[in-house]
Amino acid sequence: MTPRRALLLLPLATPALAQPRPVFVASFSILGDLVRRVAGDAAEVRTIAGPEVDAHHFQPRPSHAEALLGASHAFQNGWGFDDWFTRLARGAGGNARLVTVSEGLTPRPVAARGHSHGGQDPHAWQDVSAARHYLRRIAQATGLDASAQDARLGELDAWVRAEIARVPEARRVVVTSHDAFGWFSAAYGVRFLAPQGVSTSAEPSAQQVAALIRQLRAGGIRALFMENLTNPATLRRVAAEAGVEIMGRLYADALSPPDGPAADYEAMMRHNVSLLVRGMLA
Ligand code: ZN
Protein backbone atom coordinates (compact mmCIF):
# COMPACT_ATOMS: atom_id res chain seq x y z
CA MET A 1 0.00 0.00 0.00
CA THR A 2 1.42 3.39 -0.96
CA PRO A 3 1.47 6.23 1.63
CA ARG A 4 -0.99 8.17 -0.52
CA ARG A 5 -3.55 5.36 -0.34
CA ALA A 6 -3.09 5.09 3.41
CA LEU A 7 -3.90 8.81 3.74
CA LEU A 8 -7.04 8.38 1.68
CA LEU A 9 -8.22 5.60 3.94
CA LEU A 10 -7.51 7.51 7.16
CA PRO A 11 -10.66 9.69 7.28
CA LEU A 12 -12.78 6.56 6.99
CA ALA A 13 -11.01 4.80 9.83
CA THR A 14 -10.73 7.57 12.46
CA PRO A 15 -14.32 8.59 13.32
CA ALA A 16 -15.42 5.00 13.61
CA LEU A 17 -15.85 4.74 17.33
CA ALA A 18 -18.91 2.57 16.83
CA GLN A 19 -18.19 -1.04 15.94
CA PRO A 20 -18.76 -1.72 12.25
CA ARG A 21 -21.77 -3.98 11.75
CA PRO A 22 -21.04 -7.57 10.78
CA VAL A 23 -21.73 -8.51 7.17
CA PHE A 24 -23.98 -11.46 6.30
CA VAL A 25 -24.11 -12.68 2.69
CA ALA A 26 -26.93 -14.77 1.22
CA SER A 27 -26.77 -16.70 -2.03
CA PHE A 28 -30.17 -15.67 -3.46
CA SER A 29 -32.94 -13.12 -2.96
CA ILE A 30 -35.48 -15.19 -0.98
CA LEU A 31 -32.85 -16.37 1.49
CA GLY A 32 -31.49 -12.81 1.62
CA ASP A 33 -34.88 -11.60 2.86
CA LEU A 34 -35.02 -14.32 5.55
CA VAL A 35 -31.50 -13.39 6.70
CA ARG A 36 -32.54 -9.72 6.77
CA ARG A 37 -35.56 -10.59 8.95
CA VAL A 38 -33.29 -12.16 11.54
CA ALA A 39 -30.50 -9.58 11.26
CA GLY A 40 -32.68 -6.48 11.56
CA ASP A 41 -30.28 -3.59 12.18
CA ALA A 42 -27.64 -5.83 13.72
CA ALA A 43 -25.89 -6.66 10.44
CA GLU A 44 -25.46 -5.55 6.86
CA VAL A 45 -27.04 -8.14 4.55
CA ARG A 46 -25.83 -8.64 1.00
CA THR A 47 -27.46 -10.87 -1.59
CA ILE A 48 -25.57 -12.33 -4.56
CA ALA A 49 -28.31 -13.56 -6.95
CA GLY A 50 -30.80 -10.69 -6.65
CA PRO A 51 -34.48 -10.22 -7.57
CA GLU A 52 -35.57 -11.97 -10.79
CA VAL A 53 -32.23 -13.80 -11.00
CA ASP A 54 -32.17 -17.57 -11.52
CA ALA A 55 -29.96 -19.07 -8.81
CA HIS A 56 -30.10 -22.57 -10.39
CA HIS A 57 -27.71 -21.43 -13.11
CA PHE A 58 -26.03 -18.41 -11.59
CA GLN A 59 -22.50 -17.65 -12.75
CA PRO A 60 -20.69 -15.45 -10.23
CA ARG A 61 -18.31 -12.76 -11.42
CA PRO A 62 -15.23 -11.47 -9.53
CA SER A 63 -17.32 -8.60 -8.15
CA HIS A 64 -19.53 -11.15 -6.42
CA ALA A 65 -16.52 -12.60 -4.60
CA GLU A 66 -15.80 -9.06 -3.35
CA ALA A 67 -19.20 -8.98 -1.69
CA LEU A 68 -18.00 -11.80 0.57
CA LEU A 69 -14.87 -9.98 1.73
CA GLY A 70 -15.18 -9.17 5.40
CA ALA A 71 -18.36 -11.20 5.79
CA SER A 72 -18.79 -13.09 9.05
CA HIS A 73 -21.47 -15.46 7.73
CA ALA A 74 -22.39 -16.80 4.29
CA PHE A 75 -25.81 -18.45 3.88
CA GLN A 76 -26.75 -20.91 1.18
CA ASN A 77 -29.83 -23.04 0.51
CA GLY A 78 -28.10 -26.33 -0.32
CA TRP A 79 -29.44 -29.45 -2.10
CA GLY A 80 -27.79 -28.49 -5.38
CA PHE A 81 -29.71 -25.22 -5.74
CA ASP A 82 -26.75 -22.89 -5.19
CA ASP A 83 -23.56 -24.99 -5.35
CA TRP A 84 -21.81 -22.08 -7.05
CA PHE A 85 -22.14 -20.18 -3.76
CA THR A 86 -20.15 -22.85 -1.87
CA ARG A 87 -17.28 -22.36 -4.30
CA LEU A 88 -17.64 -18.57 -4.15
CA ALA A 89 -17.64 -18.46 -0.32
CA ARG A 90 -14.73 -20.88 0.04
CA GLY A 91 -12.70 -19.13 -2.65
CA ALA A 92 -13.31 -15.59 -1.46
CA GLY A 93 -10.26 -15.61 0.80
CA GLY A 94 -12.34 -14.40 3.71
CA ASN A 95 -13.28 -16.41 6.74
CA ALA A 96 -17.05 -16.24 6.55
CA ARG A 97 -18.76 -19.15 8.25
CA LEU A 98 -20.68 -21.07 5.59
CA VAL A 99 -24.18 -22.01 6.77
CA THR A 100 -26.50 -24.31 4.79
CA VAL A 101 -29.99 -23.35 5.94
CA SER A 102 -31.73 -26.52 4.71
CA GLU A 103 -29.52 -28.65 6.96
CA GLY A 104 -31.63 -30.50 9.53
CA LEU A 105 -34.75 -30.65 7.34
CA THR A 106 -35.87 -34.03 6.04
CA PRO A 107 -35.14 -33.86 2.30
CA ARG A 108 -37.88 -34.37 -0.25
CA PRO A 109 -36.96 -36.31 -3.37
CA VAL A 110 -37.50 -34.61 -6.70
CA ALA A 111 -40.87 -35.66 -8.13
CA ALA A 112 -40.16 -38.53 -10.53
CA ARG A 113 -41.25 -37.50 -13.99
CA GLY A 114 -38.93 -39.53 -16.17
CA HIS A 115 -36.54 -36.64 -16.79
CA SER A 116 -35.67 -35.71 -13.21
CA HIS A 117 -32.05 -35.28 -12.24
CA GLY A 118 -32.48 -37.33 -9.11
CA GLY A 119 -31.48 -35.95 -5.76
CA GLN A 120 -33.36 -33.57 -3.48
CA ASP A 121 -35.96 -30.96 -4.26
CA PRO A 122 -34.26 -27.74 -3.14
CA HIS A 123 -37.38 -25.47 -3.08
CA ALA A 124 -38.07 -25.91 0.66
CA TRP A 125 -38.87 -22.19 1.20
CA GLN A 126 -42.20 -22.73 -0.58
CA ASP A 127 -43.32 -24.49 2.62
CA VAL A 128 -43.55 -21.79 5.32
CA SER A 129 -42.66 -24.24 8.10
CA ALA A 130 -39.41 -25.02 6.25
CA ALA A 131 -38.75 -21.27 5.92
CA ARG A 132 -39.16 -21.08 9.70
CA HIS A 133 -36.47 -23.77 9.96
CA TYR A 134 -34.27 -21.51 7.81
CA LEU A 135 -34.91 -18.65 10.28
CA ARG A 136 -33.88 -20.84 13.19
CA ARG A 137 -30.69 -21.95 11.41
CA ILE A 138 -29.81 -18.30 10.73
CA ALA A 139 -30.50 -17.39 14.37
CA GLN A 140 -28.42 -20.30 15.70
CA ALA A 141 -25.48 -19.46 13.46
CA THR A 142 -25.46 -15.75 14.32
CA GLY A 143 -26.60 -15.83 17.94
CA LEU A 144 -29.49 -13.50 17.08
CA ASP A 145 -33.10 -13.87 18.18
CA ALA A 146 -35.59 -14.91 15.48
CA SER A 147 -38.63 -15.52 17.73
CA ALA A 148 -40.62 -12.45 16.57
CA GLN A 149 -40.01 -13.30 12.91
CA ASP A 150 -40.77 -16.93 13.57
CA ALA A 151 -44.14 -15.99 15.08
CA ARG A 152 -44.84 -13.81 12.05
CA LEU A 153 -44.21 -16.70 9.70
CA GLY A 154 -46.36 -18.89 11.93
CA GLU A 155 -49.25 -16.53 11.20
CA LEU A 156 -48.39 -16.60 7.49
CA ASP A 157 -48.50 -20.41 7.52
CA ALA A 158 -51.94 -20.38 9.17
CA TRP A 159 -53.16 -17.87 6.56
CA VAL A 160 -51.93 -20.09 3.70
CA ARG A 161 -53.79 -23.08 5.18
CA ALA A 162 -56.98 -21.08 5.63
CA GLU A 163 -56.82 -19.83 2.03
CA ILE A 164 -56.24 -23.30 0.57
CA ALA A 165 -59.09 -24.66 2.72
CA ARG A 166 -61.47 -22.43 0.73
CA VAL A 167 -60.84 -24.64 -2.33
CA PRO A 168 -62.69 -27.98 -2.53
CA GLU A 169 -60.14 -30.80 -2.37
CA ALA A 170 -60.91 -32.13 -5.84
CA ARG A 171 -60.09 -28.71 -7.35
CA ARG A 172 -56.67 -28.37 -5.78
CA VAL A 173 -54.74 -28.95 -9.01
CA VAL A 174 -52.48 -26.40 -10.67
CA VAL A 175 -50.18 -26.27 -13.72
CA THR A 176 -46.89 -24.34 -13.65
CA SER A 177 -43.79 -24.34 -15.79
CA HIS A 178 -41.23 -26.05 -13.51
CA ASP A 179 -41.34 -28.35 -10.48
CA ALA A 180 -40.66 -25.65 -7.89
CA PHE A 181 -43.69 -26.38 -5.74
CA GLY A 182 -43.07 -29.92 -4.42
CA TRP A 183 -42.61 -28.62 -0.88
CA PHE A 184 -45.67 -26.37 -1.17
CA SER A 185 -47.65 -29.30 -2.53
CA ALA A 186 -46.69 -31.61 0.32
CA ALA A 187 -47.32 -28.97 2.98
CA TYR A 188 -50.63 -27.59 1.74
CA GLY A 189 -52.21 -30.41 -0.25
CA VAL A 190 -52.22 -28.85 -3.72
CA ARG A 191 -51.22 -30.96 -6.75
CA PHE A 192 -48.85 -29.30 -9.21
CA LEU A 193 -48.45 -30.52 -12.78
CA ALA A 194 -45.48 -29.16 -14.70
CA PRO A 195 -44.30 -29.73 -18.24
CA GLN A 196 -40.74 -29.07 -17.06
CA GLY A 197 -38.42 -30.68 -14.51
CA VAL A 198 -37.15 -29.43 -11.21
CA SER A 199 -34.33 -27.41 -12.72
CA THR A 200 -35.21 -24.49 -14.98
CA SER A 201 -33.11 -25.96 -17.82
CA ALA A 202 -34.83 -29.31 -18.33
CA GLU A 203 -36.87 -29.40 -21.54
CA PRO A 204 -40.06 -31.46 -21.56
CA SER A 205 -40.55 -34.06 -24.29
CA ALA A 206 -43.40 -33.87 -26.81
CA GLN A 207 -45.08 -36.82 -25.08
CA GLN A 208 -44.92 -35.11 -21.70
CA VAL A 209 -46.51 -31.98 -23.14
CA ALA A 210 -49.24 -33.99 -24.88
CA ALA A 211 -49.96 -35.94 -21.68
CA LEU A 212 -50.29 -32.71 -19.72
CA ILE A 213 -52.74 -31.27 -22.26
CA ARG A 214 -54.89 -34.41 -22.03
CA GLN A 215 -54.82 -34.15 -18.23
CA LEU A 216 -55.89 -30.49 -18.34
CA ARG A 217 -58.81 -31.22 -20.65
CA ALA A 218 -59.95 -34.30 -18.74
CA GLY A 219 -59.77 -32.58 -15.37
CA GLY A 220 -61.30 -29.28 -16.47
CA ILE A 221 -58.26 -27.54 -14.93
CA ARG A 222 -58.09 -23.77 -15.42
CA ALA A 223 -55.36 -22.91 -12.91
CA LEU A 224 -52.43 -22.36 -15.28
CA PHE A 225 -49.54 -20.15 -14.13
CA MET A 226 -46.24 -18.83 -15.40
CA GLU A 227 -43.20 -18.45 -13.17
CA ASN A 228 -40.95 -15.46 -12.93
CA LEU A 229 -37.77 -17.19 -14.15
CA THR A 230 -38.95 -19.82 -16.57
CA ASN A 231 -39.28 -19.58 -20.32
CA PRO A 232 -43.05 -19.52 -20.86
CA ALA A 233 -42.97 -20.93 -24.43
CA THR A 234 -44.00 -24.49 -23.51
CA LEU A 235 -46.64 -23.31 -21.06
CA ARG A 236 -48.10 -20.98 -23.70
CA ARG A 237 -48.35 -23.93 -26.09
CA VAL A 238 -50.05 -26.06 -23.44
CA ALA A 239 -52.49 -23.25 -22.66
CA ALA A 240 -53.32 -22.64 -26.33
CA GLU A 241 -53.83 -26.34 -27.12
CA ALA A 242 -55.91 -26.99 -24.01
CA GLY A 243 -57.95 -23.83 -24.62
CA VAL A 244 -57.07 -22.37 -21.18
CA GLU A 245 -55.74 -18.95 -20.27
CA ILE A 246 -52.54 -18.40 -18.28
CA MET A 247 -53.83 -16.81 -15.08
CA GLY A 248 -50.73 -15.00 -13.86
CA ARG A 249 -47.17 -15.23 -12.70
CA LEU A 250 -45.97 -17.13 -9.62
CA TYR A 251 -42.72 -16.31 -7.85
CA ALA A 252 -40.83 -19.55 -7.33
CA ASP A 253 -37.07 -19.12 -7.00
CA ALA A 254 -36.51 -15.36 -6.73
CA LEU A 255 -38.24 -12.27 -5.37
CA SER A 256 -39.52 -9.43 -7.54
CA PRO A 257 -37.81 -6.02 -7.49
CA PRO A 258 -38.90 -3.83 -4.53
CA ASP A 259 -41.79 -2.27 -6.49
CA GLY A 260 -43.12 -5.67 -7.63
CA PRO A 261 -45.70 -8.00 -6.05
CA ALA A 262 -43.12 -10.27 -4.33
CA ALA A 263 -40.66 -7.81 -2.82
CA ASP A 264 -40.07 -9.98 0.26
CA TYR A 265 -40.77 -13.53 1.41
CA GLU A 266 -44.12 -12.80 3.00
CA ALA A 267 -45.34 -10.76 0.01
CA MET A 268 -44.21 -13.57 -2.31
CA MET A 269 -46.18 -16.23 -0.42
CA ARG A 270 -49.29 -14.05 -0.20
CA HIS A 271 -49.09 -13.18 -3.90
CA ASN A 272 -48.62 -16.82 -4.93
CA VAL A 273 -51.35 -18.22 -2.69
CA SER A 274 -53.88 -15.54 -3.68
CA LEU A 275 -53.23 -16.28 -7.37
CA LEU A 276 -53.37 -20.05 -6.86
CA VAL A 277 -56.65 -19.91 -4.96
CA ARG A 278 -58.24 -17.62 -7.55
CA GLY A 279 -57.10 -20.00 -10.31
CA MET A 280 -58.31 -23.15 -8.58
CA LEU A 281 -61.72 -21.59 -7.84
CA ALA A 282 -62.12 -20.28 -11.42
ZN1 ZN B 1 -36.23 -23.91 -9.15
Side-chain angles (χ1 to χ4, degrees):
M1 188 185 284
T2 65
R4 194 160 156 242
R5 244 181 95 74
L7 273 176
L8 281 171
L9 288 172
L10 206 58
L12 280 176
T14 37
L17 281 172
Q19 283 287 328
R21 291 189 304 166
V23 173
F24 301 161
V25 182
S27 60
F28 74 115
S29 56
I30 295 166
L31 181 53
D33 180 66
L34 295 174
V35 171
R36 205 165 279 121
R37 281 165 189 273
V38 178
D41 294 328
E44 180 192 335
V45 179
R46 299 172 184 161
T47 294
I48 304 293
E52 303 285 9
V53 175
D54 184 358
H56 279 290
H57 305 110
F58 190 74
Q59 301 206 314
R61 294 187 305 272
S63 62
H64 294 119
E66 270 168 46
L68 275 142
L69 286 176
S72 64
H73 292 77
F75 296 95
Q76 65 181 2
N77 185 74
W79 286 329
F81 181 70
D82 45 10
D83 284 346
W84 51 268
F85 189 77
T86 319
R87 294 189 291 274
L88 190 69
R90 296 228 166 101
N95 39 21
R97 177 174 164 197
L98 185 61
V99 180
T100 304
V101 289
S102 62
E103 225 170 75
L105 283 173
T106 306
R108 289 190 47 76
V110 167
R113 216 178 285 274
H115 62 291
S116 88
H117 308 288
Q120 324 299 357
D121 177 352
H123 308 90
W125 60 86
Q126 293 292 346
D127 170 354
V128 180
S129 65
R132 294 172 73 186
H133 173 88
Y134 285 15
L135 286 185
R136 287 190 291 272
R137 292 274 301 147
I138 296 159
Q140 274 165 13
T142 57
L144 294 166
D145 177 21
S147 54
Q149 290 300 329
D150 185 53
R152 229 189 131 97
L153 291 198
E155 281 166 32
L156 177 65
D157 190 58
W159 176 83
V160 174
R161 289 175 193 284
E163 282 299 296
I164 302 296
R166 292 170 47 208
V167 183
E169 258 181 78
R171 305 207 54 157
R172 293 181 197 160
V173 186
V174 162
V175 178
T176 54
S177 34
H178 95 287
D179 280 346
F181 293 92
W183 280 83
F184 185 98
S185 174
Y188 305 114
V190 174
R191 268 181 75 210
F192 283 77
L193 311 171
Q196 195 176 19
V198 74
S199 166
T200 43
S201 67
E203 278 297 319
S205 71
Q207 290 100 312
Q208 285 164 340
V209 172
L212 182 62
I213 291 164
R214 278 197 303 275
Q215 220 172 342
L216 274 176
R217 287 185 178 143
I221 299 164
R222 314 192 62 82
L224 215 73
F225 300 97
M226 296 204 288
E227 281 172 42
N228 57 330
L229 301 176
T230 317
N231 183 339
T234 307
L235 194 76
R236 288 217 171 96
R237 213 173 92 217
V238 169
E241 287 187 37
V244 199
E245 257 177 77
I246 296 174
M247 299 196 70
R249 195 158 167 261
L250 299 171
Y251 286 79
D253 291 4
L255 298 176
S256 70
D259 59 349
D264 60 36
Y265 177 72
E266 213 177 319
M268 177 187 82
M269 292 306 294
R270 287 185 188 273
H271 167 85
N272 285 351
V273 170
S274 300
L275 256 186
L276 289 169
V277 167
R278 202 181 315 150
M280 291 187 289
L281 288 175

